[in-house]
Amino acid sequence: MQNDHLSLRGLGLPVITADTLVVGTGCAGYNAADWLYDLGRRDVAILTEGERMGTSRNTGSDKQTYYKLSLCGEEADSVAELAGTLFAGGGVDGDTALCEAAGSVRSFIKLCMLGVPFPQNRYGAYAGYKTDHDPRTRATSAGPLTSRFMTEALERSVKAKGIPVYDGMQAVRLIVSEGAVRGLLAVNLSRLEEETAGFTLFRAQNIILATGGPAGLYCASVYPESQTGMSGMALEAGAAGQSLEQWQYGLASTDFRWNVSGTYQQVLPRYLSVDEDGVEREFLPDYFPSPAAALDAVFLKGYQWPFDVRKLPGSSLIDLIVHHETEDLHRRVYLDFTRDPMGLEEGFEALGQEARDYLTRSGALQPTPIARLLHMNPAAVELYRSHGIDLTRMPLRIAVCAQHCNGGIAVDADWRTAVGGLYAAGEAAGTFGVYRPGGSALNAAQAGSMRAAEHIAYTTQEGAVSALEDFRRAAEENAGELVERSLAALRAAQGGGNVLSSRRRGQERMSRVAAHIRSLPELRQFYEDTRAELAAFWEELRLGGAQDLPHALRNRDILITRAAALRAMCLLHEEIGSCGAGMLCADGGQTLPGAPEGYRMQPGSGAVLDRHTAVSMTGEAAFEARFTPVRPIPKTDDWFENVWREYRQRTERLQSRTEEKKG
């Protein structure tokens, strides 16, 4: 690690040099740094806005499930079959699917060895269960805090190895020269009041972005408020966005952000809505042929949690109805676990066979939803109680929320972006496609960050950073104007800034017109308005003081990502129609049984399953979108002698470089 200073636009800025810089302290970021160290790299540093921030440490549902190769029972499985399942989700590149499948067991067992308490049976096999879009029982869990346990275990390993973590540093601009990354500009959040506004330069030849998904786009969101993502930074540097229109949306609580999937639905709570006068009604039976039909749909939401146009009509009709109640009728919607819903007056016999068998086999035939929930999943009740919400006596407010971006930054089979030396891992990478098995995000974060670390270790020489003067010129070209405009905005600050209110307006509009319910005219207008807002960003910016600067720079990153996502949505729906989690509403579209008046769906062709959208930033507020075909699953020559020879060559090169460095 090396510390210097250099002059940028007349300011003396600190420069921190590391061979490889990891941005983010979630599962992917810590894992990348941990693997780099184990592969012999020592000049590694981690940069983060806050070690206790982010999705890995602060969310559940999808992050409580780890989707992996089957490791229990008599059910047959293989790397090829798991890769085929991931690939079949559509919009997925076959080589990354194969890497995630091949790296599944190694990544999972590493976590077990680090102390993550995944359950085993008495013979030591890791039991599994079935999750959405899963033909096997590949999923496992350590409870609602699985991803937190993973993060904490990896953090302990990283800290024990002495890998430095620069906390309170917000990355804001990548520094690129001749098509390769040279470092980045960050803001030291503890030095905003200084003359330099905390601007700090990091010089590195490799950067792994593990910044999570673009969480700041939506208002109705399950992402923790501590996460916004930094995908715009990569797009602005020349990386491409992939499948940015593909998201997961579903029912979640809003007072405490948490998905209400799994047993929260399978215990069959009442769905209530309350109008402005406080009038309460149980509304689902109004939209279904019978109360029992509504309950069967609620039960299915347990493991069909994400909104999916293929499940209209079906379990996803509930998301559509809740959206109508909240957005169109402006009512508050709640889950009530204290009383049975309509349809259970005569017991459980009215339910469909699947729901009835599940509750019977689980021993969950108690007389109220809360009693059933306490029987099957008491931790789910305790989770809310620990955040001041007692499900035994009070209803839980919910909405349809954004949970996960299935797109991200385009990467290859080594998780490299289009920018040399720049990698993306975890939800920042666009490897998930249209329909992914629940919990596959955690496996992708571990396998992808491992692949990035291996590529750096096997193919680059440690310490080959650019000369300080060359770095200064690149920083001046890439980041000088941003620093200058930021300081000018600070000098003009007079209190009463517009930063957070501006972000909120954009997030509310995204949730209203660009979530699971979309129309082309609204998307096109929003895209053009976002481009105009981005072009006028510096002229319209009003800071209330130094503390607003980091929020303003986040806003600009969100604007870039929003524009790219809207551009991708326009392309998708112009060419394909409804797809995945995006229901395209159009006059003359298909009428859905049970759907509220006015919700007509333009059917989709399904053609997106063999392609994905690619978006590039071509100017300050200009974006180009196109379809690109998915890469097929590679046909590998796995003749042992050939694999062994190639492996020896690769590892011997690494060993040779390690010995040279020691010498």
Side-chain angles (χ1 to χ4, degrees):
M1 212 64 58
Q2 176 183 336
N3 296 320
D4 298 283
H5 276 77
L6 59 75
S7 177
L8 187 69
R9 300 288 167 112
L11 291 176
L13 299 185
V15 181
I16 300 168
T17 300
D19 176 78
T20 300
L21 185 65
V22 178
V23 186
T25 47
C27 293
Y30 277 133
N31 192 55
D34 196 60
W35 272 110
L36 282 163
Y37 189 96
D38 288 347
L39 291 166
R41 305 300 273 241
R42 294 295 180 266
D43 195 10
V44 177
I46 301 176
L47 178 151
T48 179
E49 286 183 54
E51 284 192 279
R52 297 297 177 264
M53 297 166 64
T55 299
S56 294
R57 199 182 293 269
N58 295 294
T59 59
S61 191
D62 188 66
K63 298 296 189 296
Q64 74 178 354
T65 299
Y66 195 108
Y67 187 75
K68 51 155 186 56
L69 199 72
S70 296
L71 295 174
C72 186
E74 299 178 355
E75 185 177 75
D77 204 356
S78 69
V79 167
E81 288 204 32
L82 176 52
T85 298
L86 297 173
F87 185 70
V92 176
D93 288 312
D95 51 3
T96 59
L98 184 58
C99 290
E100 289 175 13
S104 165
V105 172
R106 188 154 53 126
S107 297
F108 177 73
I109 295 301
K110 173 184 175 178
L111 292 168
C112 296
M113 297 301 289
L114 289 175
V116 180
F118 290 111
Q120 306 169 52
N121 68 16
R122 63 187 297 264
Y123 302 103
Y126 290 96
Y129 57 89
K130 191 173 182 179
T131 185
D132 45 293
H133 309 307
D134 174 19
R136 300 277 188 265
T137 53
R138 292 174 173 142
T140 187
S141 174
L145 303 179
T146 296
S147 61
R148 179 183 297 182
F149 294 156
M150 291 168 56
T151 304
E152 291 170 345
L154 290 161
E155 178 186 10
R156 288 192 297 269
S157 184
V158 163
K159 296 291 180 64
K161 291 167 180 172
I163 299 171
V165 177
Y166 291 89
D167 199 1
M169 290 280 190
Q170 179 183 326
V172 296
R173 175 66 61 85
L174 289 165
I175 296 170
V176 176
S177 178
E178 298 179 344
V181 71
R182 307 299 182 192
L184 61 78
L185 176 71
V187 176
N188 186 332
L189 301 177
S190 67
R191 296 188 172 182
L192 296 173
E193 302 291 344
E194 296 182 4
E195 180 188 9
T196 62
F199 281 116
T200 304
L201 290 164
F202 285 81
R203 180 171 55 139
Q205 70 160 332
N206 306 296
I207 294 179
I208 301 176
L209 294 180
T211 50
L217 261 62
Y218 289 95
C219 179
S221 171
V222 188
Y223 288 101
E225 293 185 41
S226 62
Q227 186 190 335
T228 55
M230 286 299 289
S231 302
M233 183 172 64
L235 293 167
E236 194 170 28
Q242 181 167 297
S243 302
L244 286 170
E245 79 288 350
Q246 297 293 347
W247 287 71
Q248 281 190 328
Y249 311 96
L251 299 171
S253 56
T254 56
D255 295 326
F256 163 57
R257 294 185 175 191
W258 203 263
N259 289 346
V260 284
S261 57
T263 48
Y264 290 114
Q265 300 296 327
Q266 289 160 331
V267 299
L268 306 177
R270 289 201 308 156
Y271 276 69
L272 304 177
S273 69
V274 180
D275 67 15
E276 295 177 350
D277 297 322
V279 177
E280 173 188 299
R281 93 181 201 279
E282 186 177 344
F283 61 88
L284 282 185
D286 295 347
Y287 298 91
F288 285 86
S290 68
L295 293 180
D296 285 336
V298 170
F299 174 82
L300 290 175
K301 287 303 295 178
Y303 58 86
Q304 294 179 358
W305 177 86
F307 178 81
D308 181 356
V309 296
R310 300 181 305 180
K311 296 180 176 66
L312 287 171
S315 61
S316 287
L317 185 59
I318 292 178
D319 306 273
L320 191 62
I321 294 167
V322 170
H323 177 87
H324 173 63
E325 292 280 330
T326 56
E327 296 298 321
D328 300 332
L329 302 182
H330 307 293
R331 298 170 68 94
R332 301 185 304 279
V333 172
Y334 299 87
L335 296 184
D336 175 23
F337 293 89
T338 65
R339 292 169 50 195
D340 265 345
M342 285 189 281
L344 291 184
E345 294 87 353
E346 305 299 325
F348 298 92
E349 292 305 312
L351 296 176
Q353 188 73 35
E354 184 177 5
R356 192 165 66 250
D357 287 350
Y358 175 88
L359 293 170
T360 301
R361 189 169 181 182
S362 300
L365 300 177
Q366 292 79 8
T368 62
I370 189 61
R372 296 190 284 272
L373 188 59
L374 284 166
H375 170 77
M376 285 200 291
N377 193 356
V381 180
E382 181 55 37
L383 175 72
Y384 277 102
R385 184 179 287 117
S386 69
H387 289 84
I389 301 171
D390 186 354
L391 299 183
T392 66
R393 62 180 185 84
M394 58 195 299
L396 182 67
R397 189 171 181 180
I398 65 167
V400 183
C401 297
Q403 183 225 223
H404 191 279
C405 184
N406 280 2
I409 303 303
V411 297
D412 66 8
D414 294 304
W415 272 247
R416 293 182 295 174
T417 73
V419 180
L422 180 65
Y423 302 75
E427 196 181 337
T431 64
F432 302 104
V434 184
Y435 301 109
R436 64 178 182 85
S440 63
L442 288 183
N443 179 66
Q446 298 306 286
S449 54
M450 177 183 69
R451 292 284 300 184
E454 287 181 325
H455 187 266
I456 291 169
Y458 289 139
T459 65
T460 69
Q461 183 69 45
E462 191 167 24
V465 294
S466 57
L468 194 60
E469 177 56 27
D470 292 339
F471 176 68
R472 188 199 65 77
R473 285 195 294 267
E476 179 73 28
E477 181 179 347
N478 284 253
E481 185 178 5
L482 183 143
V483 169
E484 194 169 67
R485 285 181 155 180
S486 297
L487 295 178
L490 281 172
R491 288 192 295 270
Q494 297 179 346
N498 64 353
V499 175
L500 295 181
S501 60
S502 174
R503 183 189 303 175
R504 179 77 178 187
R505 285 194 299 273
Q507 291 171 330
E508 289 175 344
R509 190 172 177 186
M510 277 292 291
S511 290
R512 189 169 61 252
V513 307
H516 59 305
I517 309 298
R518 306 170 183 173
S519 79
L520 269 173
E522 288 179 314
L523 290 175
R524 289 168 178 151
Q525 186 61 57
F526 196 11
Y527 170 64
E528 292 301 332
D529 292 346
T530 300
R531 289 183 61 221
E533 188 176 351
L534 182 58
F537 177 81
W538 294 106
E539 289 72 21
E540 299 295 329
L541 178 62
R542 300 291 181 270
L543 299 182
Q547 296 301 319
D548 276 352
L549 179 60
H551 293 295
L553 296 175
R554 287 189 195 100
N555 281 9
R556 188 171 180 277
D557 193 274
I558 290 170
L559 280 172
I560 293 170
T561 310
R562 184 207 299 167
L566 290 169
R567 183 68 188 88
M569 288 179 187
C570 290
L571 175 64
L572 175 82
H573 295 305
E574 286 165 355
E575 299 292 329
I576 304 299
S578 296
C579 172
M583 173 182 167
L584 182 64
C585 291
D587 293 338
Q590 175 183 335
T591 301
L592 301 171
E597 185 67 29
Y599 285 83
R600 294 176 173 268
M601 182 175 72
Q602 182 67 43
S605 69
V608 78
L609 299 182
D610 63 356
R611 69 189 79 172
H612 34 53
T613 62
V615 179
S616 299
M617 192 172 182
T618 57
E620 184 179 5
F623 297 83
E624 177 184 87
R626 63 197 181 281
F627 280 116
T628 58
V630 299
R631 302 188 295 268
I633 297 177
K635 301 295 183 181
T636 60
D637 174 13
D638 291 329
W639 183 256
F640 181 79
E641 299 298 338
N642 295 335
V643 172
W644 189 20
R645 182 179 64 255
E646 190 276 335
Y647 177 75
R648 288 199 315 269
Q649 292 170 349
R650 186 169 69 248
T651 54
E652 284 167 2
R653 288 194 298 270
L654 174 61
Q655 183 65 30
S656 174
R657 284 194 295 271
T658 303
E659 292 300 325
E660 286 176 12
K661 184 173 60 177
K662 288 180 180 178

